[in-house]
Amino acid sequence: MLIQLPRRNTSDMWPWLGVILVSAVCLLLRDKVAWLNQLPSDLVIPVADWINIYMDWFIDTFKWIFRSINWLLSWPMNGAQALLQWLPWPATIAAFCVVAYISSGWRLSIFTGLALLYMVITGYWSPSMNTLGIVFVSIPLAVGAGFVLAVVSYKSERANRIVQPILDLMQTVPTFAYLIPILLLFGFGPVVGVVASSIYACPPMVRNMILGLQKVPADVLESGVMSGSTKRQLFWWVQVPSAMPNIMVGVNQTTMCALSMVIIAAIIGGSADIGWEVLSTMRKAQFGQSLLAGIVIALIAMILDRISRGFTDRTRAIERRHLSRIERSKPLITALGLMLAFILLSIFVPALRIYPETLIFYPADVINEGLRYVTANYAFFMNTLKNTVLFYYLLPIKIGFANVISPFSWGFSLTSAMVWGYAVVIFVCACWLYLKRSWQSSIAVVVTGGLLYFGLTAIPWLPFILIVTLLAWQTGGLRVATLAFTGLLFMLFTGIWSQAMLSVYLCLAAVMVCLLVGGSLGIWASRSQWASNFLRPINDTLQSMPLFVILIPFLMFFQIGEFTSFLAIIAYAIVPMIRYTEHGLRHVPEETVEAARSMGCSPRQMLWEVKMPLALPEIMLGLNQTVLFALAMLVITALVGSKGLGQSVYIALSSADTGLGLVAGLGMALIAIIADRIIQSWCAKRKDALGLA
Amino acid sequence: MEPANNNIKISCRNVWKVYGENPGQFFTGQNGDVRDSEDLRQKLKDSGHIGAACNVSFDVHQGEIFIIMGLSGSGKSTMVRCLSRLIEPTAGEVLLDGVDLLKISDADLIEFRRHKMGMVFQNFGLLPHLTVLENICFPLKVQGIDLLKREARAREVINLVGLEGREDSFPRQLSGGQQQRVGIARSLAVEPEVWFLDEPFSALDPLIRRQMQDEFLRLQKMLHKTIVFITHDFLEALRLADRIAIMKDGVVVQIGTPAQLVLSPTDAYVAEFTKDVPRVRIITAGEIIDSNKNSDGISFRVEAAATLEKIMPLFNDHPEGLIVERDGVDIGVVTPQVVVNALATAGDAS
Ligand SMILES: Nc1ncnc2c1ncn2[C@@H]1O[C@H](COP(=O)(O)OP(=O)(O)OP(=O)(O)O)[C@@H](O)[C@H]1O
Ligand SMILES: [Mg+2]
């Protein structure tokens, strides 16, 4: 019987068959030809060493400049910290509460007060104020620099072409990586935190401000010009105020980034801040202590986020304008009055200046006890959970069924009959999909099947490079393909390939879970208002959390290891997936939905046949964010023992090895950028096809 | 129906605006007076350039409402922006009171804009962060006029456009019609001599549009500005215009009074625009007089500006005809026969 083959455009399929063939050959030959598995060491280019040599020279020559900057910055820095330490705690709390009130009213004000009281009562006041001191010095620096950069690249196309890729790199190179050169240039001390967080926090400001300036409608600009504005008047009176909503979003994001980086910078020590409290107790496995300190960070993050977001809210800003000048300055006067009163009072009541030791409530030991009880009594449950995920999910992706299946893990050993069976199943699936669906899904099954059998880290580099490059080519054309190809070659020839694959593996494993779980949660939230309301604050909180903090709860229950990293990555990276899925599904054009309903779609058909395809580009953008978030978190999880590029960066940091740090950091950034470009170009194509662009 | 005084306020000579890679190559210096403009347009097209305005010349007289109309993309906005130099014409000259705007310095241009020009935009172009009052004050603020003075002036124009009581609202709290009133008030705040309006009413509902047109005519009766008004709505043009320029693909096809366009369209494009317009409302007695026929036995007089719609009922009582006078002087006679002929040649039975 003749099978009628579906008519399709399969011209793009043939390169894939070629790649699969090459991969099969490589896998067959890999035991005989060593260079397929690992590039011979004499071919590895010692980029890291070169960087180190150059860096040494650079430091010797220009150290004085950076040390002078250090000296210069130490003034505002020490000033801010000294002021915050000197102010009696009730005065500081009063000031914060008033600012919170101005920003968004009573509820936030009360929350702020309680949060700060927590810091007082647990005895974390002093390190918290040190952290805030650094943050408050970094924010104006980052905002100022961001402002200038944004204006320059808005005005000049050429500057923009230079600035944009630098921003991309700054946001994707792991934070640890650029701590190293900063550390070497600026020397130890809290100023490193200021510099690092100003740099790290700058890009969101630049991006949002450029966006804001670009979004100013043409006729608003023209009306400004026709009013006879000079260039300067036009800029300050028309463009900046019109771009203000976006600028404020930038300030909010910059604030959160600054905090996040200040916390991370604690890793190099040198200042008695709250990040250091968490880190040092975490290293000593004093989880009760790190939890209590971690809560402080979480609270600071929430306060800063809510306050700066409150100022972003334009409607309130507008309401305020209707108040008379006296009414407007009322809260400020209240704040100053309260502060002054507390300062005077504290002269007579020392407890107001320094909270008395005896009143401190510090339940760390209780927590540790409880934790010990839980881990002792539920050890079986925890271990089963951990091992199940490891043996049946993580390890197959990492080293493949070929290596993971053994009597110890799966309870039986792999026979050749099973292998053949597996191959046949994959083949049949592929054929069926080719006939019934599309060649793409068929190829996807073959590739995934091969990957799961051999394991990501055991796949020779050649097939991997070919597959990624081909994917990049077919989604994004020559430019993305070139980027992917050179990026992968960079990783290969700088000798970080195997670490890179470890990172890719963990990231991939976490992203898959985010895709499934986050996607489902997003679908749920799009259909139920209750779910949406329930998930939103959780997402907000997770998103504004410094990465460090997310590690703590998982570390408490699962100790150091890959599983803890895996969970922490999911917890952080799942947020965009939920958000974008919900947003995408909720914003499918109303007419289309109505049309489908009038044709008699069941709710199920509506979701899968109508809404999903239309929302897919948006959902994929969420996936893109999820990948970027996962990579960012991956680096941090090096702290709790994940392997890969993050670990390399971390090692480089502790041995002040700029070369290794930068090369590994760049590798990480390249993974992020390649993934980003491929997904983005896919989305753009798809949106175009759907007419949504 | 030439305007009574012939002072030329704005004069636009051979203006070209070409978009594309290297528009300058087609022109030597500023001179837009090319010998064969059709040939040049073809060349532009062949080299992938867009001629948004091609060899446009016209004069606008003092106190006149000059309307530029045409289909979308015909270059109307481009033209009005060339006049105000919001975009730099590729070639040609734009004279305001005899001064070539394209030659003056940036500082002078700013002075011109501060004191001589006002502009109203299709999408209002209001500053979202300022209240109505502050928006209207804005052109005065950039001139450095102090707060009290400029607010006093702003309140005057607010009364003029009937927005009393909304001074402290923000633009997004207003309806489209109200926002455009703010736009109009703002452009009038500096008492400009020339007033540019780029499709000021196109974003509004038909009813509001009609109301705003009346408002506009009322204002113009009081203020006597020199106006360049853009629209793509021929009926709007008819209601407001002293003269109309019709543009097509960057070229001005015809300039004339509404009646001239209706009675003798130069080509099918213009005729298409005027097709649905009731002739009787356009054609005036003065335009169809039979100057040869003597006025024996005719006694009833009508103004030259009276439209056929107005005079036709009079034939019931005066079937012999009517005497047409302009400024008190008899200039000729209209008879029912003349009217029928005029309507017949206009190819329209309405
Ligand atoms: N910045 C630009 N770059 C390239 N082409 C342009 C640019 N601005 C306008 N054009 C082209 O110039 C032509 C005239 O545009 P213009 O905006 O003047 O039309 P318009 O008559 O005002 O149309 P509308 O009624 O839609 O406002 C159009 O073909 C347009 O595509
Ligand atoms: Mg236009």
Side-chain angles (χ1 to χ4, degrees):
Chain A
M1 195 181 85
L2 199 73
I3 298 177
Q4 176 117 38
L5 285 179
R7 275 164 192 274
R8 295 205 193 94
N9 181 3
T10 50
S11 60
D12 278 352
M13 184 181 72
W14 300 108
W16 282 103
L17 293 183
V19 165
I20 289 173
L21 202 71
V22 173
S23 310
V25 172
C26 285
L27 284 164
L28 282 176
L29 291 181
R30 70 185 160 145
D31 294 331
K32 303 205 177 68
V33 189
W35 57 264
L36 273 179
N37 281 322
Q38 201 174 11
L39 206 67
S41 53
D42 46 333
L43 276 184
V44 170
I45 306 168
V47 179
D49 296 339
W50 295 347
I51 294 179
N52 278 334
I53 293 168
Y54 177 72
M55 193 70 194
D56 286 342
W57 169 83
F58 188 79
I59 291 173
D60 284 341
T61 325
F62 293 111
K63 197 178 193 172
W64 58 275
I65 299 181
F66 296 96
R67 294 297 150 100
S68 326
I69 298 177
N70 188 344
W71 179 82
L72 216 63
L73 282 176
S74 65
W75 284 95
M77 179 57 244
N78 294 337
Q81 287 189 337
L83 177 70
L84 285 169
Q85 295 294 354
W86 173 81
L87 277 176
W89 55 267
T92 311
I93 294 183
F96 266 96
C97 287
V98 173
V99 173
Y101 173 75
I102 298 175
S103 142
S104 48
W106 277 114
R107 282 173 51 167
L108 184 62
S109 177
I110 292 171
F111 173 78
T112 306
L114 291 177
L116 289 169
L117 262 179
Y118 170 87
M119 297 170 210
V120 174
I121 292 175
T122 50
Y124 280 128
W125 184 254
S126 166
S128 309
M129 288 307 113
N130 277 339
T131 298
L132 279 180
I134 308 179
V135 173
F136 287 154
V137 177
S138 319
I139 292 174
L141 285 177
V143 168
F147 193 94
V148 174
L149 270 179
V151 173
V152 170
S153 42
Y154 170 72
K155 294 234 158 119
S156 139
E157 182 52 38
R158 197 177 322 155
N160 192 32
R161 266 200 301 259
I162 301 170
V163 169
Q164 287 297 341
I166 295 180
L167 292 183
D168 279 347
L169 267 185
M170 277 164 81
Q171 285 190 308
T172 44
V173 170
T175 44
F176 285 168
Y178 53 89
L179 270 178
I180 307 169
I182 293 175
L183 188 65
L184 290 175
L185 289 171
F186 289 89
F188 278 90
V191 169
V192 176
V194 172
V195 175
S197 64
S198 310
I199 294 175
Y200 177 65
C202 197
M205 181 67 199
V206 183
R207 280 191 204 283
N208 280 294
M209 178 142 171
I210 292 179
L211 188 70
L213 288 174
Q214 283 170 344
K215 262 187 10 192
V216 178
D219 53 357
V220 169
L221 276 183
E222 287 183 335
S223 75
V225 174
M226 281 311 285
S227 302
S229 312
T230 59
K231 285 219 168 88
R232 175 177 299 203
Q233 286 171 330
L234 191 71
F235 180 71
W236 288 107
W237 290 352
V238 177
Q239 291 175 295
V240 170
S242 303
M244 204 38 115
N246 283 84
I247 295 178
M248 285 309 292
V249 170
V251 170
N252 169 260
Q253 291 178 3
T254 291
T255 305
M256 300 324 291
C257 288
L259 174 67
S260 187
M261 189 67 196
V262 167
I263 302 290
I264 289 172
I267 202 164
I268 54 175
S271 63
D273 63 351
I274 193 74
W276 177 249
E277 293 286 339
V278 176
L279 195 72
S280 58
T281 51
M282 217 153 81
R283 281 181 180 152
K284 285 181 266 178
Q286 297 171 331
F287 296 130
Q289 284 83 339
S290 41
L291 183 68
L292 289 176
I295 291 175
V296 173
I297 298 179
L299 289 173
I300 294 180
M302 285 191 236
I303 294 173
L304 291 182
D305 183 41
R306 301 291 140 83
I307 289 182
S308 54
R309 214 160 344 145
F311 282 117
T312 312
D313 197 344
R314 262 166 72 79
T315 48
R316 285 193 61 80
I318 284 170
E319 269 169 34
R320 266 207 311 282
R321 306 184 55 128
H322 288 293
L323 302 174
S324 69
R325 196 155 292 174
I326 299 175
E327 273 176 289
R328 242 184 288 172
S329 50
K330 227 187 214 162
L332 272 180
I333 294 170
T334 322
L336 286 178
L338 276 175
M339 286 176 77
L340 204 65
F342 281 121
I343 292 171
L344 290 177
L345 251 177
S346 71
I347 298 174
F348 306 105
V349 189
L352 290 185
R353 163 140 298 151
I354 294 165
Y355 188 76
E357 255 343 277
T358 46
L359 289 181
I360 286 179
F361 175 70
Y362 195 68
D365 291 335
V366 184
I367 297 175
N368 284 333
E369 263 323 299
L371 193 61
R372 212 161 297 142
Y373 176 80
V374 172
T375 40
N377 284 283
Y378 296 92
F380 174 72
F381 172 73
M382 305 260 188
N383 284 334
T384 316
L385 182 65
K386 191 165 159 179
N387 289 337
T388 312
V389 174
L390 263 179
F391 290 147
Y392 296 99
Y393 183 67
L394 288 179
L395 286 180
I397 299 178
K398 186 179 182 181
I399 53 178
F401 292 131
N403 299 306
V404 78
I405 297 182
S406 71
F408 163 71
S409 56
W410 284 45
F412 56 85
S413 42
L414 202 62
T415 61
S416 53
M418 287 180 194
V419 176
W420 282 112
Y422 180 76
V424 167
V425 168
I426 295 284
F427 182 75
V428 169
C429 273
C431 289
W432 186 80
L433 282 172
Y434 179 80
L435 293 175
K436 294 283 171 192
R437 301 250 176 239
S438 60
W439 65 263
Q440 284 93 340
S441 53
S442 160
I443 295 284
V445 160
V446 175
V447 172
T448 317
L451 198 90
L452 283 179
Y453 181 76
F454 294 102
L456 191 60
T457 55
I459 297 237
W461 50 267
L462 186 61
F464 191 86
I465 293 182
L466 286 179
I467 290 175
V468 174
T469 309
L470 185 56
L471 190 66
W473 178 298
Q474 294 194 342
T475 49
L478 188 63
R479 264 182 42 160
V480 181
T482 319
L483 175 80
F485 188 67
T486 43
L488 290 170
L489 283 189
F490 172 85
M491 285 180 242
L492 183 68
F493 281 102
T494 48
I496 54 170
W497 183 264
S498 56
Q499 273 88 352
M501 285 306 110
L502 283 170
S503 294
V504 170
Y505 133 72
L506 195 56
C507 176
L508 187 71
V511 166
M512 292 308 286
V513 175
C514 292
L515 183 67
L516 283 180
V517 178
S520 315
L521 287 175
I523 293 175
W524 185 39
S526 76
R527 313 188 69 167
S528 138
Q529 195 55 44
W530 181 86
S532 177
N533 292 340
F534 174 73
L535 286 171
R536 192 171 311 123
I538 300 180
N539 284 340
D540 282 350
T541 312
L542 276 175
Q543 187 125 70
S544 63
M545 221 30 64
L547 306 182
F548 239 48
V549 181
I550 296 176
L551 292 176
I552 300 171
F554 301 110
L555 193 56
M556 286 167 67
F557 291 105
F558 297 103
Q559 284 78 40
I560 280 186
E562 217 153 62
F563 187 60
T564 300
S565 314
F566 174 68
L567 291 181
I569 295 172
I570 293 174
Y572 183 62
I574 200 170
V575 175
M577 197 62 221
I578 303 177
R579 286 209 166 138
Y580 279 77
T581 308
E582 179 185 352
H583 186 266
L585 288 175
R586 275 183 187 261
H587 289 83
V588 169
E590 195 56 38
E591 299 137 43
T592 317
V593 175
E594 275 170 2
R597 192 170 294 139
S598 71
M599 284 182 253
C601 275
S602 68
R604 194 195 177 81
Q605 286 170 322
M606 179 74 93
L607 178 64
W608 291 108
E609 309 285 332
V610 180
K611 287 188 172 180
M612 260 309 175
L614 285 174
L616 203 55
E618 179 90 11
I619 296 177
M620 288 300 279
L621 282 182
L623 180 70
N624 188 31
Q625 289 291 309
T626 290
V627 172
L628 298 184
F629 276 42
L631 286 167
M633 189 70 191
L634 187 62
V635 182
I636 306 291
T637 60
L639 281 176
V640 296
S642 73
K643 305 267 189 306
L645 287 178
Q647 186 196 28
S648 306
V649 178
Y650 189 51
I651 292 171
L653 181 61
S654 52
S655 57
D657 183 345
T658 314
L660 177 61
L662 283 187
V663 168
L666 204 58
M668 206 81 194
L670 282 171
I671 296 177
I673 291 176
I674 292 171
D676 175 79
R677 294 302 127 87
I678 292 180
I679 302 178
Q680 292 266 20
S681 38
W682 185 88
C683 289
K685 235 182 182 175
R686 194 73 207 139
K687 265 195 178 160
D688 224 28
L690 291 174
L692 298 172
Chain B
M1 207 169 64
E2 284 295 302
N5 82 41
N6 268 332
N7 286 343
I8 292 176
K9 187 77 182 170
I10 305 171
S11 176
C12 176
R13 300 260 149 269
N14 311 103
V15 168
W16 290 79
K17 177 66 197 179
V18 178
Y19 287 108
E21 286 203 343
N22 179 14
Q25 62 180 328
F26 300 103
F27 302 93
T28 46
Q30 281 258 304
N31 192 1
D33 186 12
V34 289
R35 230 172 298 130
D36 188 350
S37 83
E38 268 316 303
D39 178 52
L40 180 53
R41 284 187 65 206
Q42 195 53 47
K43 261 197 251 164
L44 291 178
K45 216 178 270 168
D46 295 343
S47 57
H49 287 74
I50 299 170
C54 301
N55 206 15
V56 177
S57 303
F58 56 75
D59 295 325
V60 185
H61 303 272
Q62 178 84 45
E64 183 186 27
I65 302 182
F66 186 82
I67 289 195
I68 303 178
M69 66 162 301
L71 297 178
S72 186
S74 55
K76 310 178 297 286
S77 301
T78 305
M79 254 339 279
V80 77
R81 280 168 176 70
C82 285
L83 296 183
S84 56
R85 218 178 128 186
L86 276 173
I87 56 180
E88 209 68 33
T90 318
E93 42 188 32
V94 175
L95 307 175
L96 175 58
D97 288 333
V99 180
D100 188 348
L101 284 184
L102 309 184
K103 295 219 173 74
I104 60 179
S105 69
D106 283 356
D108 287 341
L109 184 63
I110 287 179
E111 278 311 301
F112 263 84
R113 286 180 178 146
R114 285 184 178 177
H115 301 293
K116 291 203 165 179
M117 302 177 185
M119 184 153 175
V120 182
F121 299 87
Q122 177 170 5
N123 295 312
F124 322 133
L126 301 179
L127 300 172
H129 61 288
L130 299 182
T131 61
V132 168
L133 188 68
E134 289 165 331
N135 257 298
I136 296 171
C137 283
F138 188 79
L140 305 167
K141 185 176 163 191
V142 297
Q143 292 181 23
I145 296 174
D146 70 51
L147 185 72
L148 289 179
K149 249 193 218 153
R150 66 183 189 237
E151 289 203 345
R153 169 67 190 149
R155 279 179 210 284
E156 274 173 38
V157 276
I158 284 179
N159 290 342
L160 202 61
V161 299
L163 271 176
E164 305 90 335
R166 301 310 303 260
E167 289 90 343
D168 293 326
S169 309
F170 283 89
R172 60 191 181 86
Q173 298 167 325
L174 300 180
S175 72
Q178 286 170 325
Q179 291 192 37
Q180 195 54 294
R181 280 167 204 265
V182 179
I184 288 174
R186 178 179 60 183
S187 67
L188 291 177
V190 295
E191 301 186 71
E193 295 167 14
V194 298
W195 201 15
F196 300 118
L197 301 99
D198 184 5
E199 306 205 25
F201 309 140
S202 298
L204 308 177
D205 295 335
L207 224 67
I208 309 285
R209 194 183 307 171
R210 178 110 197 169
Q211 211 178 333
M212 295 291 288
Q213 288 163 359
D214 292 337
E215 192 93 337
F216 170 79
L217 287 173
R218 180 181 65 85
L219 284 173
Q220 172 63 355
K221 249 200 193 111
M222 289 159 50
L223 304 172
H224 308 295
K225 306 282 180 205
T226 304
I227 294 173
V228 178
F229 189 110
I230 310 289
T231 180
H232 61 244
D233 175 359
F234 193 62
L235 289 176
E236 181 166 85
L238 286 181
R239 292 197 70 202
L240 307 178
D242 289 324
R243 283 187 309 143
I244 301 175
I246 294 199
M247 288 189 74
K248 178 193 178 190
D249 298 337
V251 178
V252 172
V253 203
Q254 188 174 7
I255 302 181
T257 62
Q260 283 167 349
L261 296 184
V262 173
L263 291 180
S264 45
T266 47
D267 63 7
Y269 180 75
V270 180
E272 189 65 23
F273 268 118
T274 60
K275 195 179 69 181
D276 294 331
V277 179
R279 267 50 181 162
V280 289
R281 275 206 229 147
I282 304 302
I283 304 172
T284 58
E287 282 163 323
I288 55 164
I289 43 168
D290 185 346
S291 32
N292 299 326
K293 190 169 163 41
N294 59 35
S295 54
D296 297 346
I298 306 174
S299 58
F300 201 83
R301 287 165 206 281
V302 291
E303 267 295 322
T307 58
L308 296 191
E309 193 175 26
K310 283 219 192 85
I311 61 171
M312 269 164 32
L314 300 174
F315 288 125
N316 280 336
D317 297 334
H318 311 280
E320 70 285 356
L322 305 162
I323 296 177
V324 180
E325 61 169 20
R326 174 180 286 149
D327 303 330
V329 182
D330 296 352
I331 55 169
V333 169
V334 285
T335 60
Q337 189 56 47
V338 178
V339 172
V340 170
N341 285 346
L343 291 178
T345 47
D348 183 293
S350 62

